Amino acid sequence: MLQWNKTNDVLGTTNRGTPVESGLCSLCRADCAGRCETWLSSLAGRATLYPRDFGLITAGGGNTCQVGVSYNALRIVGRAYGATGRAQGALADGDDCLFTNVGLAASFGAKGQLRARLPLLTGALGSTMIAARYWDPLAVGCALAGIPIVIGENVVGIDRAAVLAGGKIDSAPELDRRVAIYRRYGDGHGGIIVQLNVEDARNGVARYVIDRYGPEVAIELKWGQGAKNIGGEIKVADIAYARFLKARGYLVDPDPDDPAVAAAFASGAVREFARHSRLGHTAARDAGAVREAFLENVAFLRGLGFERITLKTGAYGMEGLAMAIRFAAEANLDLLTIDGAGGGTGMSPWNMMETWGVPSILLHAKARQYADLLAATGRRPTDMAFAGGFAREDHVFKALALGAPYAKMVCMGRAIMIPAFVGSNIEGVLFPERREKVSGNWDSLPKAVAALGERPEAIFAGWHTLAARLGKEAMREVPLGAVAVCTLLDKLGAGLQQLLAGARKFDVADIARDDIVAANRETARETGIAFVTEAEDEAARKILLA
């Protein structure tokens, strides 16, 4: 297994825990005092695009010997002439070809296009406690940045205040809270997607959503995710709550109604209970049965009135991938999110995460290949989002290029949650009366934060841009975690613009497969991307021999 560097001397960043390919720690803590690249980018924004201590240093890259098949083994192409930009037409004037003029707006959908200011959407933020605690800064930040947010599975089912009448949802306060906070700051870009798993379908969540919010909110069917190959889980430390969840129809392990388990809990031998969802399509015996059930489910949702329907699938094998691509196209869905192994989670069995499923780059490469096969039959492949271990702007570029022209979006989960943690911790220190409400974990500012200042205006590089847009009075109500989310997303956007400009692409919609090359032949073979010295080799020889 490759080992990733814990420190980056050029950026002045370090990982508290064990770093993975995304640059995040394998275990990311909400109370972390820093300072990985994503953590620092949530505060300093675009400054983290460049080496530190300008004027005192020179810097040299060392990531030039890639081993194995991974996104890291893809390299981004730079070009010496030309300019392509769908938004601006044919660009020729060098004064127009500035990286700040690169268009980042994205859209997806079979009919009415859902627009976003960046080609990003969140991973599903569902019933885990960490998603609930930090929902406000996440939702506000994503709404202000203009990217879609996904309300994950089981949010209604685990809500003690939710009312079920005859086994169906009659009221869902937590779901309503999540929708309301995003809508308050939305401006027509982005949008809300509510995820629907087996339990949610049983509880009538889809009908509740359409009756309350209409077709404005999209619905997402869930087949799986990259972090696990069983249903969603959470942990609870209250035996009464565990019994409540069991009564709601969930599998709870160990069984809180078992007298031996109750005795073990009372003695402290058992401290937590795991709540699990059911597996989908267990009655199906072949792909045909899955197709029939899936298309029937989509028809039911369309009958309710949903205009936008998406599908999230996990790191299953090639048959599962092909089913998702073919059935999504048949159902004329708006987005298919494909989450590879290496994807993040708020709760999954650890050794399952480490050993199950198809790694992201292999899954995504096959998804693109299969989409081509489907398109050759005359069917339109569903717009795709790639997910599974992305955190930086170069990850976004590579994923979109690998999946072009079908990949329209990149799905980020853990990376977008980090600024919500950091900003909430800072807010809890600067405004102690808010600490509990914002789930702040710090008693004082860490050295890395205090070095930037002691006021939000000094700490967050993105604060003044938001203040100019919203007004300083309105900024009093914006969670500092949301400011941090916007700061990070601005950095990712600027970095993506720079990479696109270097490839002479002045609109993200123009990104193509030949904008990346493979740094080793194994990666070239597995992805279909040209090996670095073979790409453009024919054109090079023509120049030399002319």
Side-chain angles (χ1 to χ4, degrees):
M1 185 172 71
L2 291 175
Q3 299 294 314
W4 305 96
N5 290 331
K6 287 179 68 74
T7 62
N8 183 324
D9 191 36
V10 171
L11 298 180
T13 60
T14 186
N15 287 72
R16 171 199 54 78
T18 303
V20 294
E21 186 183 2
S22 65
L24 308 182
C25 296
S26 58
L27 184 72
C28 180
R29 295 181 58 92
D31 60 355
C32 180
R35 62 185 229 162
C36 72
E37 182 178 340
T38 301
W39 189 97
L40 184 60
S41 299
S42 304
L43 307 177
R46 297 184 182 209
T48 54
L49 292 171
Y50 310 101
R52 62 192 175 105
D53 299 332
F54 173 76
L56 294 174
I57 57 91
T58 63
N63 187 36
T64 56
C65 185
Q66 284 83 14
V67 178
V69 182
S70 70
Y71 268 101
N72 188 57
L74 296 176
R75 296 192 67 84
I76 294 169
V77 169
R79 295 187 173 89
Y81 64 88
T84 301
R86 185 180 298 170
Q88 294 89 359
L91 294 168
D93 188 342
D95 290 338
D96 291 331
C97 295
L98 308 174
F99 83 81
T100 49
N101 287 338
V102 171
L104 295 179
S107 62
F108 63 86
K111 294 181 180 178
Q113 294 284 303
L114 193 150
R115 300 177 301 148
R117 288 197 177 92
L118 295 166
L120 296 173
L121 75 158
T122 71
L125 304 164
S127 58
T128 58
M129 294 303 105
I130 201 162
R133 288 171 182 153
Y134 296 98
W135 178 262
D136 285 14
L138 285 162
V140 174
C142 290
L144 290 172
I147 69 170
I149 195 167
V150 182
I151 300 175
E153 61 189 355
N154 292 315
V155 168
V156 175
I158 72 159
D159 183 4
R160 293 193 195 199
V163 176
L164 277 70
K168 303 297 181 182
I169 296 298
D170 189 57
S171 69
E174 175 61 15
L175 177 65
D176 293 339
R177 180 185 77 86
R178 295 195 188 195
V179 172
I181 190 67
Y182 185 92
R183 293 175 79 182
R184 177 181 176 185
Y185 288 91
D187 66 354
H189 291 85
I192 301 170
I193 302 172
V194 176
Q195 197 174 80
L196 194 72
N197 73 354
V198 176
E199 315 295 341
D200 298 319
R202 287 187 173 200
N203 290 336
V205 171
R207 188 179 296 278
Y208 180 86
V209 169
I210 198 70
D211 288 347
R212 191 166 183 85
Y213 300 109
E216 174 190 344
V217 173
I219 203 79
E220 178 169 271
L221 296 167
K222 182 175 182 181
W223 280 8
Q225 65 184 88
K228 52 178 169 272
N229 57 356
I230 56 175
E233 304 115 344
I234 62 171
K235 283 184 179 181
V236 298
D238 179 350
I239 193 170
Y241 188 31
R243 287 169 175 159
F244 166 83
L245 293 172
K246 182 184 176 184
R248 276 263 165 105
Y250 289 107
L251 167 66
V252 179
D253 180 45
D255 183 355
D257 290 330
D258 184 330
V261 171
F265 180 81
S267 69
V270 170
R271 293 178 171 83
E272 293 176 313
F273 300 87
R275 182 236 65 199
H276 294 260
S277 300
R278 290 174 177 81
L279 298 169
H281 295 298
T282 52
R285 290 294 178 264
D286 55 34
V290 175
R291 174 184 177 274
E292 182 179 352
F294 178 73
L295 294 179
E296 182 179 322
N297 199 1
V298 172
F300 170 75
L301 294 172
R302 294 208 188 280
L304 290 179
F306 284 102
E307 295 178 1
R308 293 193 180 100
I309 303 174
T310 69
L311 172 64
K312 167 80 171 287
T313 191
Y316 302 120
M318 299 307 102
E319 183 186 30
L321 176 63
M323 288 193 303
I325 293 172
R326 172 64 184 266
F327 302 165
E330 285 192 55
N332 203 28
L333 298 192
D334 294 277
L335 189 70
L336 169 61
T337 298
I338 301 171
D339 190 13
T345 183
M347 170 67 176
S348 290
W350 174 243
N351 287 325
M352 181 182 289
M353 287 191 69
E354 289 283 86
T355 57
W356 103 277
V358 184
S360 291
I361 188 170
L362 299 176
L363 192 69
H364 297 157
K366 273 295 187 182
R368 199 274 181 182
Q369 180 183 339
Y370 290 171
D372 258 354
L373 287 174
L374 188 66
T377 69
R379 295 180 177 87
R380 175 190 174 275
T382 300
D383 292 340
M384 295 179 181
F386 285 171
F390 300 130
R392 300 194 310 257
E393 61 273 5
D394 56 296
H395 299 155
V396 178
F397 187 107
K398 292 174 183 180
L400 292 176
L402 181 65
Y406 310 108
K408 307 295 185 183
M409 307 289 284
V410 169
C411 177
M412 284 189 182
R414 296 202 302 146
I416 295 180
M417 297 183 77
I418 288 173
F421 303 158
V422 179
S424 297
N425 289 334
I426 292 171
E427 185 167 355
V429 173
L430 300 183
F431 305 97
E433 69 279 8
R434 305 180 196 167
R435 186 173 303 168
E436 183 177 356
K437 179 181 178 182
V438 302
S439 298
N441 295 290
W442 299 344
D443 295 320
S444 60
L445 294 179
K447 183 178 179 180
V449 179
L452 300 173
E454 296 184 351
R455 295 174 296 109
E457 300 92 316
I459 293 172
F460 297 102
W463 194 92
H464 292 276
T465 300
L466 281 177
R469 174 178 160 190
L470 302 176
K472 290 188 176 180
E473 189 62 33
M475 285 295 290
R476 297 178 185 274
E477 297 184 24
V478 175
L480 294 188
V483 178
V485 169
C486 290
T487 301
L488 172 67
L489 293 176
D490 178 71
K491 177 262 185 182
L492 293 177
L496 183 57
Q497 285 178 313
Q498 292 175 343
L499 293 171
L500 284 161
R504 304 302 177 105
K505 297 295 177 70
F506 281 79
D507 194 289
V508 71
D510 292 313
I511 201 165
R513 297 261 292 178
D514 62 2
D515 291 323
I516 53 176
V517 292
N520 58 50
R521 295 189 183 277
E522 187 181 7
T523 298
R525 182 179 70 246
E526 296 298 335
T527 63
I529 297 296
F531 180 64
V532 59
T533 57
E534 293 176 355
E536 303 179 0
D537 184 62
E538 184 177 347
R541 291 175 183 274
K542 288 181 179 179
I543 291 172
L544 294 170
L545 298 175

mmCIF file of all heavy atoms in Angstrom, residues 180-200:
data_model
loop_
_atom_site.group_PDB
_atom_site.id
_atom_site.type_symbol
_atom_site.label_atom_id
_atom_site.label_comp_id
_atom_site.label_asym_id
_atom_site.label_seq_id
_atom_site.Cartn_x
_atom_site.Cartn_y
_atom_site.Cartn_z
ATOM 1 N N ALA A 180 -35.185 24.026 4.938
ATOM 2 C CA ALA A 180 -35.426 25.453 5.149
ATOM 3 C C ALA A 180 -34.135 26.257 5.188
ATOM 4 O O ALA A 180 -34.061 27.349 4.609
ATOM 5 C CB ALA A 180 -36.215 25.662 6.442
ATOM 6 N N ILE A 181 -33.101 25.754 5.845
ATOM 7 C CA ILE A 181 -31.875 26.539 5.986
ATOM 8 C C ILE A 181 -31.179 26.694 4.643
ATOM 9 O O ILE A 181 -30.620 27.748 4.330
ATOM 10 C CB ILE A 181 -30.934 25.917 7.043
ATOM 11 C CG1 ILE A 181 -29.795 26.870 7.357
ATOM 12 C CG2 ILE A 181 -30.411 24.565 6.609
ATOM 13 C CD1 ILE A 181 -30.191 28.136 8.047
ATOM 14 N N TYR A 182 -31.222 25.672 3.787
ATOM 15 C CA TYR A 182 -30.619 25.812 2.453
ATOM 16 C C TYR A 182 -31.435 26.785 1.606
ATOM 17 O O TYR A 182 -30.878 27.669 0.932
ATOM 18 C CB TYR A 182 -30.545 24.448 1.772
ATOM 19 C CG TYR A 182 -29.833 24.489 0.434
ATOM 20 C CD1 TYR A 182 -28.468 24.246 0.344
ATOM 21 C CD2 TYR A 182 -30.526 24.772 -0.744
ATOM 22 C CE1 TYR A 182 -27.808 24.281 -0.875
ATOM 23 C CE2 TYR A 182 -29.878 24.816 -1.977
ATOM 24 C CZ TYR A 182 -28.521 24.575 -2.034
ATOM 25 O OH TYR A 182 -27.879 24.629 -3.249
ATOM 26 N N ARG A 183 -32.757 26.639 1.624
ATOM 27 C CA ARG A 183 -33.615 27.486 0.788
ATOM 28 C C ARG A 183 -33.524 28.952 1.182
ATOM 29 O O ARG A 183 -33.674 29.835 0.337
ATOM 30 C CB ARG A 183 -35.065 27.008 0.884
ATOM 31 C CG ARG A 183 -35.283 25.629 0.271
ATOM 32 C CD ARG A 183 -36.691 25.137 0.492
ATOM 33 N NE ARG A 183 -37.650 25.735 -0.434
ATOM 34 C CZ ARG A 183 -38.943 25.480 -0.412
ATOM 35 N NH1 ARG A 183 -39.445 24.642 0.487
ATOM 36 N NH2 ARG A 183 -39.742 26.038 -1.277
ATOM 37 N N ARG A 184 -33.234 29.204 2.442
ATOM 38 C CA ARG A 184 -33.147 30.597 2.900
ATOM 39 C C ARG A 184 -32.055 31.357 2.155
ATOM 40 O O ARG A 184 -32.195 32.553 1.873
ATOM 41 C CB ARG A 184 -32.879 30.627 4.408
ATOM 42 C CG ARG A 184 -32.707 32.038 4.969
ATOM 43 C CD ARG A 184 -32.424 32.014 6.455
ATOM 44 N NE ARG A 184 -32.169 33.351 6.963
ATOM 45 C CZ ARG A 184 -31.796 33.616 8.207
ATOM 46 N NH1 ARG A 184 -31.671 32.623 9.091
ATOM 47 N NH2 ARG A 184 -31.567 34.855 8.593
ATOM 48 N N TYR A 185 -30.966 30.664 1.822
ATOM 49 C CA TYR A 185 -29.832 31.339 1.197
ATOM 50 C C TYR A 185 -29.658 30.975 -0.280
ATOM 51 O O TYR A 185 -28.744 31.465 -0.929
ATOM 52 C CB TYR A 185 -28.542 31.006 1.966
ATOM 53 C CG TYR A 185 -28.474 31.686 3.311
ATOM 54 C CD1 TYR A 185 -28.967 31.055 4.455
ATOM 55 C CD2 TYR A 185 -27.941 32.958 3.446
ATOM 56 C CE1 TYR A 185 -28.912 31.684 5.693
ATOM 57 C CE2 TYR A 185 -27.881 33.592 4.674
ATOM 58 C CZ TYR A 185 -28.368 32.951 5.795
ATOM 59 O OH TYR A 185 -28.324 33.580 7.037
ATOM 60 N N GLY A 186 -30.516 30.131 -0.831
ATOM 61 C CA GLY A 186 -30.404 29.745 -2.229
ATOM 62 C C GLY A 186 -30.851 30.867 -3.149
ATOM 63 O O GLY A 186 -31.679 31.706 -2.794
ATOM 64 N N ASP A 187 -30.284 30.879 -4.375
ATOM 65 C CA ASP A 187 -30.617 31.940 -5.326
ATOM 66 C C ASP A 187 -30.865 31.397 -6.732
ATOM 67 O O ASP A 187 -30.725 32.129 -7.716
ATOM 68 C CB ASP A 187 -29.510 32.990 -5.357
ATOM 69 C CG ASP A 187 -28.198 32.450 -5.906
ATOM 70 O OD1 ASP A 187 -28.117 31.229 -6.160
ATOM 71 O OD2 ASP A 187 -27.252 33.237 -6.088
ATOM 72 N N GLY A 188 -31.232 30.138 -6.823
ATOM 73 C CA GLY A 188 -31.495 29.566 -8.138
ATOM 74 C C GLY A 188 -30.383 28.697 -8.664
ATOM 75 O O GLY A 188 -30.573 27.973 -9.647
ATOM 76 N N HIS A 189 -29.210 28.772 -8.071
ATOM 77 C CA HIS A 189 -28.125 27.868 -8.406
ATOM 78 C C HIS A 189 -28.061 26.772 -7.334
ATOM 79 O O HIS A 189 -28.362 27.002 -6.174
ATOM 80 C CB HIS A 189 -26.791 28.602 -8.460
ATOM 81 C CG HIS A 189 -26.676 29.550 -9.605
ATOM 82 N ND1 HIS A 189 -27.165 30.845 -9.538
ATOM 83 C CD2 HIS A 189 -26.140 29.400 -10.840
ATOM 84 C CE1 HIS A 189 -26.931 31.444 -10.693
ATOM 85 N NE2 HIS A 189 -26.305 30.598 -11.496
ATOM 86 N N GLY A 190 -27.614 25.595 -7.752
ATOM 87 C CA GLY A 190 -27.567 24.489 -6.802
ATOM 88 C C GLY A 190 -28.924 23.832 -6.696
ATOM 89 O O GLY A 190 -29.664 23.715 -7.676
ATOM 90 N N GLY A 191 -29.274 23.394 -5.516
ATOM 91 C CA GLY A 191 -30.546 22.729 -5.313
ATOM 92 C C GLY A 191 -30.445 21.677 -4.222
ATOM 93 O O GLY A 191 -29.364 21.384 -3.713
ATOM 94 N N ILE A 192 -31.599 21.117 -3.868
ATOM 95 C CA ILE A 192 -31.679 20.122 -2.805
ATOM 96 C C ILE A 192 -32.073 18.784 -3.411
ATOM 97 O O ILE A 192 -33.012 18.696 -4.201
ATOM 98 C CB ILE A 192 -32.715 20.524 -1.741
ATOM 99 C CG1 ILE A 192 -32.345 21.871 -1.116
ATOM 100 C CG2 ILE A 192 -32.824 19.454 -0.658
ATOM 101 C CD1 ILE A 192 -33.437 22.448 -0.234
ATOM 102 N N ILE A 193 -31.329 17.748 -3.027
ATOM 103 C CA ILE A 193 -31.637 16.380 -3.426
ATOM 104 C C ILE A 193 -31.857 15.576 -2.147
ATOM 105 O O ILE A 193 -31.002 15.576 -1.261
ATOM 106 C CB ILE A 193 -30.494 15.761 -4.245
ATOM 107 C CG1 ILE A 193 -30.216 16.600 -5.500
ATOM 108 C CG2 ILE A 193 -30.817 14.323 -4.612
ATOM 109 C CD1 ILE A 193 -28.980 16.181 -6.262
ATOM 110 N N VAL A 194 -32.983 14.923 -2.032
ATOM 111 C CA VAL A 194 -33.297 14.102 -0.863
ATOM 112 C C VAL A 194 -33.123 12.635 -1.240
ATOM 113 O O VAL A 194 -33.746 12.147 -2.187
ATOM 114 C CB VAL A 194 -34.731 14.349 -0.354
ATOM 115 C CG1 VAL A 194 -35.061 13.403 0.796
ATOM 116 C CG2 VAL A 194 -34.883 15.798 0.108
ATOM 117 N N GLN A 195 -32.281 11.946 -0.484
ATOM 118 C CA GLN A 195 -31.967 10.551 -0.778
ATOM 119 C C GLN A 195 -33.013 9.613 -0.184
ATOM 120 O O GLN A 195 -33.541 9.859 0.899
ATOM 121 C CB GLN A 195 -30.585 10.219 -0.225
ATOM 122 C CG GLN A 195 -29.973 8.969 -0.789
ATOM 123 C CD GLN A 195 -28.547 8.788 -0.314
ATOM 124 O OE1 GLN A 195 -28.333 8.322 0.813
ATOM 125 N NE2 GLN A 195 -27.587 9.170 -1.130
ATOM 126 N N LEU A 196 -33.277 8.546 -0.919
ATOM 127 C CA LEU A 196 -34.338 7.609 -0.553
ATOM 128 C C LEU A 196 -33.768 6.196 -0.539
ATOM 129 O O LEU A 196 -33.389 5.664 -1.586
ATOM 130 C CB LEU A 196 -35.461 7.709 -1.590
ATOM 131 C CG LEU A 196 -36.816 7.087 -1.285
ATOM 132 C CD1 LEU A 196 -37.545 7.899 -0.230
ATOM 133 C CD2 LEU A 196 -37.656 7.032 -2.564
ATOM 134 N N ASN A 197 -33.663 5.592 0.660
ATOM 135 C CA ASN A 197 -33.233 4.190 0.720
ATOM 136 C C ASN A 197 -34.444 3.297 0.993
ATOM 137 O O ASN A 197 -35.598 3.736 0.947
ATOM 138 C CB ASN A 197 -32.116 4.006 1.747
ATOM 139 C CG ASN A 197 -32.602 4.090 3.185
ATOM 140 O OD1 ASN A 197 -33.762 4.400 3.467
ATOM 141 N ND2 ASN A 197 -31.717 3.824 4.117
ATOM 142 N N VAL A 198 -34.193 2.044 1.314
ATOM 143 C CA VAL A 198 -35.289 1.091 1.523
ATOM 144 C C VAL A 198 -36.193 1.532 2.666
ATOM 145 O O VAL A 198 -37.426 1.498 2.557
ATOM 146 C CB VAL A 198 -34.721 -0.315 1.799
ATOM 147 C CG1 VAL A 198 -35.844 -1.294 2.114
ATOM 148 C CG2 VAL A 198 -33.913 -0.808 0.606
ATOM 149 N N GLU A 199 -35.585 1.961 3.773
ATOM 150 C CA GLU A 199 -36.385 2.373 4.934
ATOM 151 C C GLU A 199 -37.205 3.622 4.616
ATOM 152 O O GLU A 199 -38.383 3.721 5.002
ATOM 153 C CB GLU A 199 -35.467 2.661 6.132
ATOM 154 C CG GLU A 199 -34.377 1.632 6.369
ATOM 155 C CD GLU A 199 -34.917 0.282 6.758
ATOM 156 O OE1 GLU A 199 -36.076 0.212 7.197
ATOM 157 O OE2 GLU A 199 -34.177 -0.710 6.625
ATOM 158 N N ASP A 200 -36.577 4.583 3.929
ATOM 159 C CA ASP A 200 -37.283 5.821 3.580
ATOM 160 C C ASP A 200 -38.469 5.531 2.662
ATOM 161 O O ASP A 200 -39.532 6.151 2.786
ATOM 162 C CB ASP A 200 -36.325 6.795 2.887
ATOM 163 C CG ASP A 200 -35.175 7.219 3.780
ATOM 164 O OD1 ASP A 200 -35.422 7.467 4.971
ATOM 165 O OD2 ASP A 200 -34.039 7.302 3.288
#
